Amino acid sequence: MSLSSNSAAAVIARSLKARGVDRVFALCGGHIMPLWMAIDAEGIAIVDVRDERAAVYMAHAYGELRGTTGVALVTAGPGVTNAMTGIANAHVARASVVVLSGTPPRAQDNRGALQDLDHVGMVRGITRYARTVRDASLVPQELDEAFARACGDGGEPGPVYLDFPTDVLRADVPVPLQRAEHLAGKARVALPPAPQAVQAAIDVLWTAKRPLVIAGRGIKGRGAALRRFLDALGAVYLDTGECKGLLPASHPSFVGAMRGQVMGAADVVVTVGRRLDFQLAYGSPAVFGDARFVRIADVTAELRDNRRGDVEVLADCGLALAAIVAAAQGREPAVDREWVSSLRQQHEARAGKLRASMRTAESAPDGKIHPNRVLACLQDALDARGGDPVVVADGGDFLSFARVGLDTPTYLDPGPLGCIGIGTPFGIGAALACPERTVVVATGDGSFGFNAMEIDTAVRHRAPLLIVVANNGAWQIEVNDQQQSWGRVVGTTLQFADHAAMARAFGMHAERVTDVAELPAAIERALAQRPALLDVVVRTDVVSADGKSGLAVVPDLQPLGAWDEAERRFRAGA
């Protein structure tokens, strides 16, 4: 079968190429075959995956690391329902992803056609834009609108969804309607801050004695502006999973190890492109006390959620911080330098103690390795290689160890949806986006299982990543909760399966490590033969910080036990 060069499928493929799309993550099916073949004919690489949610995960990570919009292509019916978890994760993470699909031909509407579902109705609540394009002449403008919405042009960034009846993909788009204004798209315009908002922010920030800056999604790619702002103000700084690694831990403002203490002690809290969600106690006065808030964001969803700011700056975060620094020149901040210095010293002491304890964390009597020892060996290997490594952390219990145990300039994790299983697909997307960088996935065995078959994708597409599976044969954070709260373990144990044997079956270099003495050399061998997998058998009798915090218990008012108690006291007026 051949397609006209003016077919909707061909026009979509040309438009993707004109927008700089060089890879599409996809799983094939009959309803999207015209588009699949047109994309291939246009010279765009198709990374064919084993499950549609993995396609969306890969597009998410690929786009994030390339600073572009990731593209996934999935077929109708179960292809879309499989993809929905990936779409939901991108929705909560505000990741720029375009998901394309197909539907049965229009003449078969509502007749019980194969894989005929109301895709748009299902995904509307987890997308920025969702449409079925039922006329070929509308394809250029609908695709343009989808890309604009995905990158947040005029609103919050996030995933968008378009599908096309198969007969529409085969139909021609009138040549006069194939206009460059729609086919190539336009760059998003960065919103500058209002001068009065800048001055109002300075008046609050430069009179603060204990200012705290917390950053998130909106500051990605603007690390230089963040550093200049922190240097000018002298505030302390906390990162979150959305921007971990953007500011190096060596910066004098960084006090990540003092997170709980500084959140309660700050007199002004600055959020930069960050929601006040469950990870930040919803901004509650029960945790943040009487602190004033300055909210800076390029979308209103990160400007007014849960706590209104004394000052709210709606602008591109980099432009806003730069404008504040420029307008404050010559003005001396009122920051309590002793408070900052003390926090930094305590942070360094606590962080140093953690690093030392990780390197000496003992194995269990039966030889099972401490999770922190795995991370310490991995960190040593990354440090020795240098460069700019990418770390993807995934899991429940193991993620809690990895989040604080690995220091890296580029970090990805399940995000605020808590969508475990992203590890291997994110890692593949990252490795294909940045093949010159060292990409490591640190994942628990439970989360690895969600998308374990994608090791086949990694091998076939030569994605140079290392997957380190911390194998404790359980959904460990739930095991700990059941033991502590209920006194028995029910349905939360797994096998100590040999994941390395599975990986070798697909042609991947893989080793199973059961002795800590063998771990450093195994990591080096694996890094030299990527894609590779290490199946490391770890202890089951150590409890992570998240396990101790009460996160798994799901308290009524706040996500953590201590915050929940504080919230109860606050609401009672105590």
Side-chain angles (χ1 to χ4, degrees):
M1 182 181 292
S2 62
L3 290 170
S4 161
S5 62
N6 291 315
S7 68
V11 169
I12 293 168
R14 285 200 298 275
S15 182
L16 294 178
K17 189 168 186 178
R19 295 168 188 275
V21 176
D22 60 354
R23 273 191 176 89
V24 171
F25 300 87
L27 205 161
C28 202
H31 292 93
I32 57 171
M33 192 63 75
L35 183 52
W36 184 284
M37 301 309 292
I39 286 171
D40 176 71
E42 200 60 49
I44 299 171
I46 297 176
V47 180
D48 53 313
V49 303
R50 300 298 297 266
D51 186 277
E52 287 89 355
R53 68 180 157 179
V56 183
Y57 290 152
M58 291 180 200
H60 177 158
Y62 189 84
E64 185 152 322
L65 291 180
R66 294 286 287 258
T68 60
T69 297
V71 178
L73 174 62
V74 303
T75 198
V80 175
T81 59
N82 286 347
M84 284 180 67
T85 299
I87 296 171
N89 192 58
H91 164 67
V92 176
R94 288 95 80 203
S96 182
V97 178
V98 169
V99 179
L100 304 175
S101 185
T103 68
R106 290 169 293 178
Q108 300 181 41
D109 271 357
N110 201 32
R111 300 184 68 193
L114 175 67
Q115 299 180 342
D116 186 11
L117 291 174
D118 179 12
H119 301 151
V120 169
M122 292 189 296
V123 304
R124 184 174 284 118
I126 52 173
T127 56
R128 301 297 176 270
Y129 188 72
R131 289 290 301 274
T132 295
V133 183
R134 301 183 59 79
D135 189 312
S137 66
L138 298 176
V139 164
Q141 68 189 62
E142 286 286 6
L143 193 64
D144 186 44
E145 181 68 16
F147 269 88
R149 297 285 190 99
C151 72
D153 193 355
E156 187 178 36
V160 301
Y161 175 86
L162 289 182
D163 62 19
F164 312 84
T166 308
D167 61 319
V168 171
L169 289 174
R170 292 190 282 253
D172 280 357
V173 178
V175 173
L177 297 182
Q178 297 178 37
R179 301 178 61 84
E181 66 190 72
H182 286 143
L183 293 179
K186 293 179 172 59
R188 184 187 184 198
V189 177
L191 179 66
Q196 60 269 31
V198 169
Q199 189 57 54
I202 291 171
D203 291 342
V204 173
L205 294 172
W206 260 252
T207 57
K209 294 187 178 298
R210 301 182 304 280
L212 164 65
V213 176
I214 305 175
R217 176 211 63 84
I219 199 63
K220 287 179 181 177
R222 296 161 179 80
L226 176 64
R227 285 190 292 272
R228 286 192 291 269
F229 174 72
L230 290 169
D231 291 342
L233 179 58
V236 295
Y237 172 79
L238 295 177
D239 63 6
T240 60
E242 295 181 359
C243 62
K244 181 177 167 65
L246 184 65
L247 189 79
S250 59
H251 192 279
S253 290
F254 189 88
V255 293
M258 304 303 296
R259 190 172 301 267
Q261 180 176 325
V262 72
M263 284 170 63
D267 61 354
V268 171
V269 177
V270 188
T271 63
V272 186
R274 186 61 165 87
R275 286 178 172 168
L276 287 168
D277 61 11
F278 76 96
Q279 295 172 323
L280 295 172
Y282 311 115
S284 173
V287 174
F288 286 93
D290 295 327
R292 304 171 71 188
F293 277 75
V294 174
R295 309 292 304 272
I296 302 172
D298 58 357
V299 293
T300 56
E302 296 164 2
L303 200 68
R304 297 194 295 264
D305 64 310
N306 289 313
R307 285 291 296 272
R308 297 298 300 260
D310 291 73
V311 179
E312 296 169 350
V313 184
L314 180 60
D316 175 89
C317 293
L319 294 181
L321 295 182
I324 290 170
V325 170
Q329 282 187 355
R331 184 169 176 175
E332 185 68 22
V335 171
D336 183 342
R337 302 292 180 181
E338 291 186 6
W339 178 74
V340 173
S341 177
S342 175
L343 278 173
R344 178 64 185 175
Q345 290 173 12
Q346 292 177 74
H347 160 80
E348 290 178 332
R350 187 172 291 181
K353 184 178 179 180
L354 173 63
R355 286 192 296 271
S357 68
M358 289 175 63
R359 289 195 170 90
T360 58
E362 295 183 354
S363 299
D366 62 0
K368 292 185 177 67
I369 303 168
H370 197 294
N372 273 338
R373 193 70 173 272
V374 178
L375 296 170
C377 290
L378 193 54
Q379 185 71 59
D380 287 345
L382 291 174
D383 291 344
R385 291 177 73 86
D388 188 14
V390 179
V391 168
V392 180
D394 189 17
D397 207 55
F398 189 59
L399 174 62
S400 179
F401 288 105
R403 188 172 55 242
V404 296
L406 290 174
D407 182 18
T408 175
T410 305
Y411 171 89
L412 302 173
D413 71 13
L417 185 60
C419 191
I420 66 171
I422 55 87
T424 299
F426 266 28
I428 293 170
L432 293 175
C434 311
E436 75 287 354
R437 298 168 68 179
T438 302
V439 176
V440 172
V441 175
T443 179
D445 57 330
S447 54
F448 172 69
F450 276 93
N451 288 288
M453 284 297 290
E454 298 304 333
I455 59 176
D456 172 59
T457 306
V459 171
R460 287 185 293 106
H461 290 276
R462 299 181 178 86
L465 79 160
L466 167 60
I467 304 166
V468 179
V469 181
N471 188 348
N472 57 18
W475 302 100
Q476 194 61 44
I477 199 167
E478 284 76 21
V479 167
N480 292 333
D481 174 37
Q482 289 179 343
Q483 289 172 331
Q484 295 166 13
S485 303
W486 303 93
R488 66 186 190 279
V489 175
V490 182
T492 52
T493 56
L494 303 168
Q495 301 181 60
F496 279 93
D498 189 342
H499 303 297
M502 176 186 176
R504 287 193 296 270
F506 285 97
M508 180 179 280
H509 171 84
E511 301 180 37
R512 185 174 174 89
V513 183
T514 59
D515 185 341
V516 70
E518 300 171 355
L519 188 55
I523 292 173
E524 288 304 318
R525 288 191 296 271
L527 285 170
Q529 299 182 70
R530 292 170 289 157
L533 181 145
L534 294 179
D535 182 29
V536 185
V537 181
V538 299
R539 295 179 63 163
T540 61
D541 60 341
V542 290
V543 183
S544 68
D546 284 351
K548 295 174 183 176
S549 71
L551 184 67
V553 179
V554 191
D556 290 343
L557 302 178
Q558 286 280 355
L560 306 183
W563 290 354
D564 193 65
E565 287 300 317
E567 186 73 30
R568 292 178 187 279
R569 292 193 299 270
F570 173 75
R571 294 188 181 195

